[in-house]
Amino acid sequence: MAKISFIIPIGPEEIAWQSLWKDLVHLDGGCQIILSATKAPLPEQQNLMDKRAKTSKALWLMGTAGRAKQLNAGAEQATSDWLCFLHADSRLTRDSLTKLQTLLASGSQDSLYYFNLNFRDGSQKFLLLNTWGTRLRNRTWGVPYGDQGLTIHRKSFENLGGFNETILSGEDHEFVWRALARGYKLTPIGAPIQTSARKYDQQGWVLTTLRHNLLGCFQAWQFGWKPRLQKLSRGQKPS
């Protein structure tokens, strides 16, 4: 089985990671869990870590706020060959984790891996619509988002320069576009990951989906279509 460092950025009042933590601590002891936060854990959170952890390879980091900065800080402390970046409100079954470890055991360093996204805890009438919208998003822009558990070899992550800390949002999508531009292959893990649908309920499905797709359109132009058009204008064959 592959050894993986799971890197989870945590917001100041975030508690959803506690459920994800319980999903991950049952893995092989060679794996590592890194919680990249902006402040020290509360006593009850520290007790949870101490009680549940079966390995000393569990780490709580404190650093500067900002998802890209927190992700990069976690990657710097990773000890495994593979890095898996997860949102705090993600949930993974044992079957999905086993499939990930098995795939990475013979995985290519030239690939960027991702899970299939499913939603939970939202209004039932929107859950299917959310799932359909995510699949359409992947087909439209051809790239996964960070809520799909982006996984990459640490050497490839370092070669790409990590996440861009100068942008305020969309650092995951921007990272994937850079990987594509450098010739990395996007490879589905073939297993599900769950994420919360609450932001769709709270902010509205149409508004949230529109915002995601506008950002996707901008980055698709910046990292996908624009370079290809520039190559065509110079008489070069686009990659």
Side-chain angles (χ1 to χ4, degrees):
M1 291 288 191
K3 307 304 180 186
I4 308 168
S5 290
F6 295 93
I7 301 166
I8 309 164
I10 300 175
E13 307 302 325
E14 182 64 68
I15 60 172
W17 65 269
Q18 297 177 19
S19 296
L20 176 59
W21 171 270
K22 296 174 184 178
D23 295 339
L24 298 176
V25 294
H26 300 292
L27 284 173
D28 181 277
C31 290
Q32 181 187 33
I33 305 172
I34 299 175
L35 302 169
S36 188
T38 58
K39 64 180 184 180
L42 298 173
E44 58 267 27
Q45 294 173 331
Q46 186 63 59
N47 290 339
L48 173 67
M49 293 176 63
D50 294 340
K51 181 179 179 181
R52 292 279 182 174
K54 295 182 178 180
T55 172
S56 61
K57 293 187 176 181
L59 182 63
W60 182 288
L61 296 179
M62 290 185 291
T64 306
R67 186 181 295 272
K69 293 179 180 179
Q70 290 172 248
L71 292 169
N72 287 338
E76 288 179 3
Q77 298 298 319
T79 59
S80 305
D81 289 336
W82 292 96
L83 309 177
C84 180
F85 299 95
L86 298 173
H87 284 191
D89 61 355
S90 298
R91 296 299 305 273
L92 284 162
T93 65
R94 186 169 298 191
D95 286 344
S96 289
L97 289 167
T98 298
K99 190 158 189 177
L100 173 63
Q101 284 188 291
T102 301
L103 178 63
L104 296 183
S106 58
S108 168
Q109 293 186 21
D110 296 326
S111 287
L112 177 64
Y113 299 88
Y114 62 94
F115 289 97
N116 301 327
L117 187 65
N118 292 332
F119 290 89
R120 69 176 190 281
D121 67 25
S123 300
Q124 289 299 316
K125 63 181 179 179
F126 284 127
L127 289 179
L128 182 60
L129 190 59
N130 289 340
T131 302
W132 175 84
T134 300
R135 291 174 182 170
L136 177 63
R137 182 186 73 189
N138 288 345
R139 292 193 181 103
T140 301
W141 309 123
V143 297
Y145 277 51
D147 51 12
Q148 293 179 253
L150 303 179
T151 304
I152 191 169
H153 196 276
R154 65 175 302 113
K155 290 184 178 179
S156 297
F157 180 80
E158 292 168 357
N159 288 339
L160 288 168
F163 290 95
N164 186 344
E165 298 181 4
T166 67
I167 58 178
L168 298 178
S169 63
E171 74 291 326
D172 50 354
H173 204 192
E174 190 267 354
F175 178 78
V176 176
W177 275 110
R178 274 193 288 120
L180 280 172
R182 292 277 294 276
Y184 287 86
K185 180 182 178 182
L186 298 180
T187 303
I189 297 165
I193 186 172
Q194 288 190 344
T195 192
S196 175
R198 284 176 295 178
K199 65 180 178 181
Y200 285 88
D201 285 343
Q202 294 169 355
Q203 302 173 15
W205 187 90
V206 173
L207 181 61
T208 304
T209 301
L210 180 61
R211 184 170 61 249
H212 285 171
N213 279 278
L214 285 174
L215 177 61
C217 184
F218 172 76
Q219 291 182 332
W221 167 255
Q222 184 178 9
F223 295 100
W225 302 334
K226 184 178 179 180
R228 287 170 170 79
L229 290 175
Q230 289 174 335
K231 286 186 177 181
L232 285 173
S233 68
R234 294 192 296 265
Q236 301 174 358
K237 183 178 179 182
S239 57

